[in-house]
Every structure is written in C-alpha cells, then in structure tokens.
Amino acid sequence: MKFGDIDVARIGLGTNRLTKTPGNVAFIRAAVAAGVQMIDTAHLYTGGQSEETIGAALSPIPDGCIVATKGGFGGAGRGRTEVLGAEIEQSLRALRTDSIYLYYLHRVDPQTPIEESLGAIKEYRDRGKIRHVGVSNVDIDQIERARRVVPIAAVQNHYSLSERESEEVVDYCAGEDIAFVPYFPLRGTGGGPLPGIAERHHATPQQIALAWLLRRSPAMLPIPGTLSLEHLKENVAASKIELTDAEFEALR
Ligand SMILES: NC(=O)c1ccc[n+]([C@@H]2O[C@H](COP(=O)([O-])OP(=O)(O)OC[C@H]3O[C@@H](n4cnc5c(N)ncnc54)[C@H](OP(=O)(O)O)[C@@H]3O)[C@@H](O)[C@H]2O)c1
C-alpha cells in the first residue's frame, strides 16, 4: 500500500520488547532485509533502548523504510507542548536521524487538549523534523479534532480477531485514506475455526490472524511484535495468504 511517498509492505514490526544488544541490532537489519518496511517503536519502549537499537542498526535509515515512533504516553501532563518537544528531540537523537517519517501522539493526555498536543507535533512537521503525523488510542471524534490541526496519516489502535472495539475507526480510516495500524494484532489466536483454517492453508494460526486483518480493510498495516527472525519471516509471508469469503466470515 502507499504510505506517503513510499510503497510499503503491509506487514510491519513492533518493537516494544527490543533491548539494546548486538543480537537485536543484527535482528533489526535482518528484518529490513526480510522485507519489513514499517518498524514501530516509541519513546517509552524499553526505557529508550528500542529507539536506540533501531538507530544503531539502520542509521542512515534506508530509503523505503519507515521508522515510526510515538510520544506523549503516561497520563496527565505528558501531552503538553514542552514535554512532547523534549520527547521528539530525544527520539531524533536515539534514532540518529534529522527527520522522523511517522510520529504519533501515543495517548491523548486527559488534561491537555488534543489540539495543543497535535500543535506541538505540527511545529516539528513544519520544520521538516517530522514527515507524517499519526494518533494512537483514539476514537473518531478525536481523529477529527486532530485533523483540524494537522493532516493525519495513520491511526494506531488495539485491534485483532479478538478485539473489535475499533471497527468503526477501521472503516473511517479506509474512507479517509488514513493507514490503520492495529496493535496487539496477534491476540486471540487460540481457538474457534482458526486452527482448522490454518491447517488448510499449511499456515500457522498467527499467519491466518494477520491474513484476516489484511483482508478486513485495505487501510490495515499490522505491526506484529517479535524478537524471532523465524516468526518475523512467517509474519511477512502471511501477506501472501488469501482467505476465502467463507473463511473470512467464519473468523469474523
Ligand atoms: N500504540 C499503543 O498504545 C501500543 C500498545 C501496545 C503495543 N503497541 C505496538 O504494537 C506492537 C505489537 O504488539 P505486541 O508485540 O505487544 O503484541 P502482538 O504483536 O499481538 O504479539 C506479540 C507476541 O506474539 C509472538 N509472535 C509474533 N509473531 C509470531 C509468530 N509468527 N508465531 C508465533 N508467535 C509470534 C511474540 O513472541 P516472539 O518474540 O517469540 O515471536 C510475542 O509474544 C508492539 O511491539 C508495539 O510496537 C502499541
């Protein structure tokens, strides 16, 4: 699918358990070599080690590779202009880059208007330090408020076979040409018709869960988290699995 000026593979990588070890630096390079183009991190992940590992592995970030990060997590006050500004500066340093391709507001601060938080991010976008802006853990009303401040290119919410609260957000994003990035995409890959369908496709239940998400909406870009290159390759390969209408509905 198209994201900004990049033709991006529809399975990305989540890195919220990534610690800074030589093995993990090599893992991030191997992930890109295996075809991952959307690497998802955040200021808060592993106390900053996730961003640092990605920076160490990829600097300079190769063309066609999107490193997405987030800030403003942690509750009251975390979405204030000065707090977000400091987090963006830290992310730029940790990722060893002059410009972050996709930057999300991680959570809406309960005490700071979303307009103020997005205004802070927009300032960095206007200076070329951020290319595209996203919002995370939001409903449609919050997305629309955010869009009145700055164009929104991606929405990241909890969504999977077993978590469907964001159904309307998924459809809204598809209609508005916004990428929908489901987090925890592999939750709920236990039972029901899943194992049988997986067996029929000579695939794993995790692969079928990802194939279902991709089929659910053209806007969908899941970011399964893994520290295993074998799992990562399986996840990338899930984009080739085509479910039948009956399989899709049975899983729905
Ligand atoms: N925006 C937010 O508020 C928010 C919140 C939470 C998470 N996130 C993002 O979403 C990403 C995904 O979430 P997550 O990693 O917590 O959950 P997840 O992707 O639903 O599941 C990750 C789990 O599945 C396993 N796994 C991955 N691929 C597999 C495969 N092919 N076969 C079998 N097991 C597999 C992983 O273990 P192995 O390491 O053994 O593969 C890990 O235990 C995070 O990394 C983070 O970037 C965002």
mmCIF file of all heavy atoms in Angstrom, residues 14 33 36-37 53 64 81-83 88-89 93 97 123 134 142 145 182 185 215 217 223 228-229 236:
data_model
loop_
_atom_site.group_PDB
_atom_site.id
_atom_site.type_symbol
_atom_site.label_atom_id
_atom_site.label_comp_id
_atom_site.label_asym_id
_atom_site.label_seq_id
_atom_site.Cartn_x
_atom_site.Cartn_y
_atom_site.Cartn_z
ATOM 1 N N GLY A 14 6.639 -4.680 15.324
ATOM 2 C CA GLY A 14 6.527 -3.976 16.606
ATOM 3 C C GLY A 14 7.740 -4.271 17.464
ATOM 4 O O GLY A 14 8.244 -5.399 17.465
ATOM 5 N N ALA A 33 16.063 -6.576 5.769
ATOM 6 C CA ALA A 33 16.474 -7.437 4.643
ATOM 7 C C ALA A 33 15.368 -8.437 4.287
ATOM 8 O O ALA A 33 15.224 -8.834 3.129
ATOM 9 C CB ALA A 33 17.758 -8.182 5.001
ATOM 10 N N VAL A 36 10.590 -6.131 5.802
ATOM 11 C CA VAL A 36 9.806 -5.240 6.666
ATOM 12 C C VAL A 36 10.136 -3.792 6.314
ATOM 13 O O VAL A 36 11.301 -3.423 6.210
ATOM 14 C CB VAL A 36 10.121 -5.518 8.155
ATOM 15 C CG1 VAL A 36 9.629 -4.388 9.037
ATOM 16 C CG2 VAL A 36 9.495 -6.839 8.586
ATOM 17 N N GLN A 37 9.099 -2.980 6.124
ATOM 18 C CA GLN A 37 9.323 -1.567 5.788
ATOM 19 C C GLN A 37 8.719 -0.603 6.800
ATOM 20 O O GLN A 37 8.928 0.598 6.685
ATOM 21 C CB GLN A 37 8.738 -1.268 4.406
ATOM 22 C CG GLN A 37 9.516 -1.884 3.258
ATOM 23 C CD GLN A 37 8.815 -1.601 1.950
ATOM 24 O OE1 GLN A 37 7.943 -2.356 1.531
ATOM 25 N NE2 GLN A 37 9.173 -0.510 1.312
ATOM 26 N N THR A 53 18.279 1.054 19.584
ATOM 27 C CA THR A 53 18.687 -0.133 18.818
ATOM 28 C C THR A 53 18.398 0.061 17.336
ATOM 29 O O THR A 53 19.214 -0.281 16.471
ATOM 30 C CB THR A 53 17.929 -1.383 19.343
ATOM 31 O OG1 THR A 53 18.122 -1.465 20.743
ATOM 32 C CG2 THR A 53 18.420 -2.645 18.664
ATOM 33 N N GLY A 64 12.786 3.935 1.616
ATOM 34 C CA GLY A 64 11.730 2.930 1.560
ATOM 35 C C GLY A 64 11.444 2.284 2.897
ATOM 36 O O GLY A 64 10.549 1.452 3.007
ATOM 37 N N THR A 81 2.983 20.791 25.405
ATOM 38 C CA THR A 81 3.900 21.185 24.331
ATOM 39 C C THR A 81 5.365 20.921 24.699
ATOM 40 O O THR A 81 6.106 20.311 23.923
ATOM 41 C CB THR A 81 3.713 22.686 24.019
ATOM 42 O OG1 THR A 81 2.359 22.871 23.625
ATOM 43 C CG2 THR A 81 4.636 23.155 22.910
ATOM 44 N N GLU A 82 5.772 21.353 25.901
ATOM 45 C CA GLU A 82 7.204 21.254 26.239
ATOM 46 C C GLU A 82 7.612 19.793 26.481
ATOM 47 O O GLU A 82 8.736 19.399 26.165
ATOM 48 C CB GLU A 82 7.574 22.159 27.418
ATOM 49 C CG GLU A 82 6.852 21.875 28.709
ATOM 50 C CD GLU A 82 5.490 22.583 28.825
ATOM 51 O OE1 GLU A 82 4.893 22.924 27.783
ATOM 52 O OE2 GLU A 82 5.016 22.754 29.967
ATOM 53 N N VAL A 83 6.695 18.990 27.018
ATOM 54 C CA VAL A 83 7.015 17.576 27.268
ATOM 55 C C VAL A 83 7.169 16.849 25.931
ATOM 56 O O VAL A 83 8.142 16.118 25.700
ATOM 57 C CB VAL A 83 5.913 16.908 28.132
ATOM 58 C CG1 VAL A 83 6.185 15.419 28.289
ATOM 59 C CG2 VAL A 83 5.826 17.578 29.491
ATOM 60 N N ILE A 88 10.352 14.457 21.436
ATOM 61 C CA ILE A 88 10.679 14.416 19.999
ATOM 62 C C ILE A 88 12.189 14.604 19.806
ATOM 63 O O ILE A 88 12.824 13.881 19.030
ATOM 64 C CB ILE A 88 9.864 15.480 19.216
ATOM 65 C CG1 ILE A 88 8.372 15.132 19.237
ATOM 66 C CG2 ILE A 88 10.373 15.590 17.771
ATOM 67 C CD1 ILE A 88 7.452 16.244 18.751
ATOM 68 N N GLU A 89 12.756 15.560 20.546
ATOM 69 C CA GLU A 89 14.214 15.789 20.433
ATOM 70 C C GLU A 89 14.981 14.524 20.808
ATOM 71 O O GLU A 89 15.946 14.150 20.147
ATOM 72 C CB GLU A 89 14.653 16.947 21.341
ATOM 73 C CG GLU A 89 14.068 18.311 20.993
ATOM 74 C CD GLU A 89 14.642 18.921 19.711
ATOM 75 O OE1 GLU A 89 15.636 18.380 19.187
ATOM 76 O OE2 GLU A 89 14.077 19.917 19.227
ATOM 77 N N ARG A 93 17.431 12.043 18.391
ATOM 78 C CA ARG A 93 18.805 11.655 18.756
ATOM 79 C C ARG A 93 18.955 10.130 18.801
ATOM 80 O O ARG A 93 19.891 9.576 18.242
ATOM 81 C CB ARG A 93 19.182 12.243 20.122
ATOM 82 C CG ARG A 93 19.672 13.677 20.049
ATOM 83 C CD ARG A 93 20.393 14.090 21.325
ATOM 84 N NE ARG A 93 19.540 14.010 22.508
ATOM 85 C CZ ARG A 93 18.703 14.975 22.897
ATOM 86 N NH1 ARG A 93 18.620 16.096 22.208
ATOM 87 N NH2 ARG A 93 17.963 14.835 23.981
ATOM 88 N N THR A 97 18.592 10.432 13.430
ATOM 89 C CA THR A 97 18.034 10.937 12.180
ATOM 90 C C THR A 97 17.690 12.419 12.320
ATOM 91 O O THR A 97 17.493 12.912 13.440
ATOM 92 C CB THR A 97 16.778 10.119 11.785
ATOM 93 O OG1 THR A 97 16.322 10.543 10.511
ATOM 94 C CG2 THR A 97 15.639 10.288 12.794
ATOM 95 N N GLU A 123 4.420 21.655 14.829
ATOM 96 C CA GLU A 123 5.554 22.580 14.768
ATOM 97 C C GLU A 123 6.801 21.858 14.213
ATOM 98 O O GLU A 123 7.540 22.404 13.401
ATOM 99 C CB GLU A 123 5.838 23.082 16.177
ATOM 100 C CG GLU A 123 6.257 24.515 16.241
ATOM 101 C CD GLU A 123 6.327 24.941 17.698
ATOM 102 O OE1 GLU A 123 5.256 25.249 18.272
ATOM 103 O OE2 GLU A 123 7.429 24.921 18.251
ATOM 104 N N GLY A 134 0.648 10.814 13.169
ATOM 105 C CA GLY A 134 -0.381 9.833 13.496
ATOM 106 C C GLY A 134 -0.914 10.059 14.893
ATOM 107 O O GLY A 134 -0.352 10.839 15.681
ATOM 108 N N GLN A 142 -11.902 12.173 18.204
ATOM 109 C CA GLN A 142 -10.535 12.662 18.470
ATOM 110 C C GLN A 142 -9.711 12.753 17.178
ATOM 111 O O GLN A 142 -8.921 13.682 17.006
ATOM 112 C CB GLN A 142 -9.840 11.744 19.483
ATOM 113 C CG GLN A 142 -10.434 11.869 20.888
ATOM 114 C CD GLN A 142 -9.982 10.765 21.817
ATOM 115 O OE1 GLN A 142 -9.826 9.617 21.407
ATOM 116 N NE2 GLN A 142 -9.778 11.103 23.078
ATOM 117 N N ARG A 145 -10.775 15.927 15.479
ATOM 118 C CA ARG A 145 -10.191 17.110 16.135
ATOM 119 C C ARG A 145 -8.712 17.240 15.756
ATOM 120 O O ARG A 145 -8.225 18.338 15.470
ATOM 121 C CB ARG A 145 -10.339 17.001 17.654
ATOM 122 C CG ARG A 145 -11.755 17.303 18.118
ATOM 123 C CD ARG A 145 -11.927 17.057 19.603
ATOM 124 N NE ARG A 145 -11.088 17.907 20.432
ATOM 125 C CZ ARG A 145 -11.004 17.795 21.764
ATOM 126 N NH1 ARG A 145 -11.715 16.881 22.399
ATOM 127 N NH2 ARG A 145 -10.213 18.586 22.456
ATOM 128 N N PRO A 182 -3.056 -1.739 13.429
ATOM 129 C CA PRO A 182 -3.576 -2.401 14.633
ATOM 130 C C PRO A 182 -2.449 -2.881 15.524
ATOM 131 O O PRO A 182 -1.518 -3.558 15.065
ATOM 132 C CB PRO A 182 -4.349 -3.594 14.053
ATOM 133 C CG PRO A 182 -3.666 -3.907 12.774
ATOM 134 C CD PRO A 182 -3.074 -2.627 12.247
ATOM 135 N N PRO A 185 -1.876 -7.281 17.228
ATOM 136 C CA PRO A 185 -2.627 -7.945 16.141
ATOM 137 C C PRO A 185 -2.724 -9.455 16.314
ATOM 138 O O PRO A 185 -3.563 -10.088 15.658
ATOM 139 C CB PRO A 185 -1.812 -7.598 14.888
ATOM 140 C CG PRO A 185 -0.413 -7.406 15.396
ATOM 141 C CD PRO A 185 -0.580 -6.761 16.750
ATOM 142 N N ARG A 215 -7.181 -8.667 4.994
ATOM 143 C CA ARG A 215 -8.395 -8.775 4.193
ATOM 144 C C ARG A 215 -9.509 -7.869 4.742
ATOM 145 O O ARG A 215 -10.380 -7.417 3.995
ATOM 146 C CB ARG A 215 -8.813 -10.251 4.220
ATOM 147 C CG ARG A 215 -10.205 -10.566 3.797
ATOM 148 C CD ARG A 215 -10.255 -10.965 2.341
ATOM 149 N NE ARG A 215 -11.633 -10.983 1.940
ATOM 150 C CZ ARG A 215 -12.295 -12.043 1.536
ATOM 151 N NH1 ARG A 215 -11.671 -13.192 1.432
ATOM 152 N NH2 ARG A 215 -13.556 -11.965 1.188
ATOM 153 N N SER A 217 -9.475 -4.812 5.752
ATOM 154 C CA SER A 217 -9.510 -3.449 5.218
ATOM 155 C C SER A 217 -8.240 -3.155 4.422
ATOM 156 O O SER A 217 -7.139 -3.526 4.863
ATOM 157 C CB SER A 217 -9.618 -2.442 6.365
ATOM 158 O OG SER A 217 -9.383 -1.133 5.867
ATOM 159 N N ILE A 223 1.412 -4.493 12.878
ATOM 160 C CA ILE A 223 2.816 -4.426 13.333
ATOM 161 C C ILE A 223 3.049 -5.521 14.389
ATOM 162 O O ILE A 223 3.298 -5.197 15.559
ATOM 163 C CB ILE A 223 3.136 -3.033 13.889
ATOM 164 C CG1 ILE A 223 2.004 -2.539 14.825
ATOM 165 C CG2 ILE A 223 3.376 -2.029 12.771
ATOM 166 C CD1 ILE A 223 2.399 -1.378 15.709
ATOM 167 N N SER A 228 11.980 -12.833 17.118
ATOM 168 C CA SER A 228 12.425 -14.049 16.443
ATOM 169 C C SER A 228 12.401 -13.828 14.928
ATOM 170 O O SER A 228 11.365 -13.470 14.360
ATOM 171 C CB SER A 228 11.474 -15.202 16.825
ATOM 172 O OG SER A 228 11.331 -16.121 15.759
ATOM 173 N N LEU A 229 13.548 -14.039 14.291
ATOM 174 C CA LEU A 229 13.597 -13.840 12.836
ATOM 175 C C LEU A 229 12.695 -14.849 12.113
ATOM 176 O O LEU A 229 12.067 -14.523 11.104
ATOM 177 C CB LEU A 229 15.047 -13.951 12.345
ATOM 178 C CG LEU A 229 15.284 -13.522 10.905
ATOM 179 C CD1 LEU A 229 14.821 -12.085 10.648
ATOM 180 C CD2 LEU A 229 16.772 -13.661 10.548
ATOM 181 N N VAL A 236 5.731 -11.885 7.673
ATOM 182 C CA VAL A 236 5.823 -11.235 6.344
ATOM 183 C C VAL A 236 5.125 -12.110 5.292
ATOM 184 O O VAL A 236 4.385 -11.612 4.437
ATOM 185 C CB VAL A 236 7.306 -10.994 5.979
ATOM 186 C CG1 VAL A 236 7.466 -10.604 4.518
ATOM 187 C CG2 VAL A 236 7.909 -9.914 6.884
#
